Amino acid sequence: MLISDSQKKILSLLADGEFHSGAELAEVLGVSRSAVWKQLNGLESLGVPHAAVSGKGYRLSRPIELLDGAKILDHLDEQHRAKISSLEIHDQIDSTNTYLSSLARQNAPSGSVCLAERQTAGKGRRGRQWISPYGSNILLSILWRFQHGPAAISALSLAIGVAVIRALRRLGIDKAGLKWPNDIYSEGKKLGGILIEVAGENEGPCYAVTGLGLNLFLPEEEAGAIDQPWTDLGRIAGGRPIGRNQLAGELIDQLLKVLTGFEQTGLAAYLDEWREYDCLCGESASVFIGAQQFDGTLEGIDAQGFLLMRDADDRLRAFASGEVSFRRAFP
């Protein structure tokens, strides 16, 4: 279902979380009050519930902050703002990564940025769907072109994880960490995920579409289909409001800082910081590669970004890929 212009106008009016009468909304939209009611009911399917109280009118169940390109750019430093070739905000899209990958094949330049209020086919790791109601979270992708082939950027997702934690710490969020290879976690629960899709010549130019999904607000009813423990920034921050446009701007600023320099520095520039943010070092865990399972204690990552695990026989294994499942029950 696509959001209509009338629904977008209604959302803009109700975004403050206050009551607005049906007559006020009808006048602004130039429609009947019954048409307003129908448009509001249509928003329920987008994950935007509302309340109606006789004598008061309508209000959203919670305030929302819609994405605004100008407000986002205000939170980038001048150097990184100049690196953005385009910034698009979609009300609804299948996937920001899929969209930018399509543009990349049409020779779109580095610095193409795409955000969405809602995705219908958001992609997580191993084909999982990324769940997010309209206007609630961060759904972001950036296209960047590199000169030396996919092998030269094989550890990019680890550096991108560092960039995400840097952005969160700038906003006073210090309870987030990294789970190898590309997840953002807090106290044993998933907060966000990174998905990087690379295409191009083995030894020549290539491009990477870096996608980030980060939970700012995820209601329990929307998260019912998620098959792992999850959290959002609202819970981590203890209800302290976090501006969605500010968050998007800080994230883009830090992501661009990594993307513009990674081909020169590689993982080495981020290795110590990644290890500082590693939330599973020392934990008992299992690594799954296809049908194979390896058990042991995690010992961080090596200089190439491979995950290190010591098994019961004191053998140290290094994994270039795999799915990690940890055992400790976090509070």
Side-chain angles (χ1 to χ4, degrees):
M1 171 186 172
L2 291 174
I3 185 169
S4 68
D5 289 341
S6 294
Q7 287 173 324
K8 187 68 178 291
K9 289 179 181 177
I10 289 175
L11 279 174
S12 297
L13 291 168
L14 298 183
D16 58 8
E18 302 298 327
F19 278 106
H20 296 263
S21 70
E24 175 193 347
L25 297 175
E27 182 179 357
V28 171
L29 296 175
V31 298
S32 67
R33 293 178 65 175
S34 62
V36 169
W37 178 81
K38 290 179 181 178
Q39 296 286 357
L40 280 165
N41 282 346
L43 291 174
E44 295 278 352
S45 63
L46 295 174
V48 188
H50 70 278
V53 176
S54 178
K56 290 188 175 182
Y58 302 97
R59 74 172 179 184
L60 299 182
S61 297
R62 62 177 182 84
I64 64 172
E65 182 182 346
L66 300 176
L67 295 172
D68 182 300
K71 292 179 180 178
I72 291 171
L73 291 174
D74 280 345
H75 295 285
L76 276 72
D77 71 30
E78 187 175 345
Q79 179 185 5
H80 294 145
R81 196 181 306 133
K83 299 288 185 181
I84 295 180
S85 55
S86 66
L87 191 153
E88 297 184 32
I89 298 173
H90 294 256
D91 285 320
Q92 182 164 287
I93 199 171
D94 54 354
S95 158
T96 56
N97 260 33
T98 298
Y99 177 74
L100 281 189
S101 293
S102 175
L103 291 187
R105 292 190 292 272
Q106 301 171 44
N107 298 316
S110 285
S112 299
V113 180
C114 179
L115 299 105
E117 298 286 5
R118 182 174 185 256
Q119 290 184 144
T120 58
K123 294 184 287 186
R125 184 165 165 79
R126 298 188 179 275
R128 295 188 181 101
Q129 182 183 6
W130 191 268
I131 295 173
S132 178
Y134 184 93
S136 297
N137 301 310
I138 298 297
L139 308 168
L140 161 68
S141 296
I142 301 178
L143 165 65
W144 201 262
R145 295 188 177 275
F146 298 90
Q147 296 304 312
H148 300 300
I153 58 170
S154 60
L156 178 61
S157 67
L158 299 178
I160 291 296
V162 169
V164 173
I165 300 300
R166 286 175 176 176
L168 294 178
R169 294 200 169 189
R170 284 174 62 90
L171 293 172
I173 303 294
D174 57 6
K175 293 182 179 179
L178 298 172
K179 173 180 176 283
W180 186 90
N182 51 16
D183 285 334
I184 316 301
Y185 262 62
S186 178
E187 298 179 329
K189 299 176 182 179
K190 187 165 181 175
L191 175 65
I194 297 159
L195 180 65
I196 299 181
E197 298 178 284
V198 180
E201 300 177 24
N202 287 336
E203 302 297 332
C206 69
Y207 67 81
V209 175
T210 297
L212 171 66
L214 191 68
N215 297 332
L216 179 55
F217 173 77
L218 192 57
E220 296 280 352
E221 57 271 19
E222 290 284 334
I226 299 176
D227 62 357
Q228 58 186 310
W230 59 270
T231 189
D232 60 29
L233 290 176
R235 289 171 170 81
I236 295 171
R240 175 172 61 85
I242 298 171
R244 192 160 165 251
N245 285 296
Q246 181 182 8
L247 174 60
E250 294 285 359
L251 287 165
I252 293 170
D253 193 61
Q254 294 297 328
L255 293 177
L256 286 172
K257 186 175 182 179
V258 168
L259 290 168
T260 56
F262 189 79
E263 214 163 20
Q264 288 72 45
T265 68
L267 180 61
Y270 306 96
L271 196 56
D272 289 344
E273 204 169 348
W274 198 98
R275 288 168 173 161
E276 177 189 343
Y277 302 148
D278 184 357
C279 61
L280 290 184
C281 187
E283 297 291 337
S284 297
S286 299
V287 176
F288 295 89
I289 302 176
Q292 289 184 291
Q293 176 178 339
F294 303 89
D295 300 322
T297 301
L298 300 180
E299 294 192 1
I301 59 175
D302 66 13
Q304 287 73 47
F306 292 1
L307 180 68
L308 299 175
M309 170 185 276
R310 192 170 298 278
D311 66 18
D313 297 321
D314 202 34
R315 290 175 298 186
L316 188 64
R317 298 180 182 271
F319 298 90
S321 62
E323 187 83 3
V324 179
S325 175
F326 53 88
R327 299 171 192 165
R328 180 161 70 97
F330 287 77

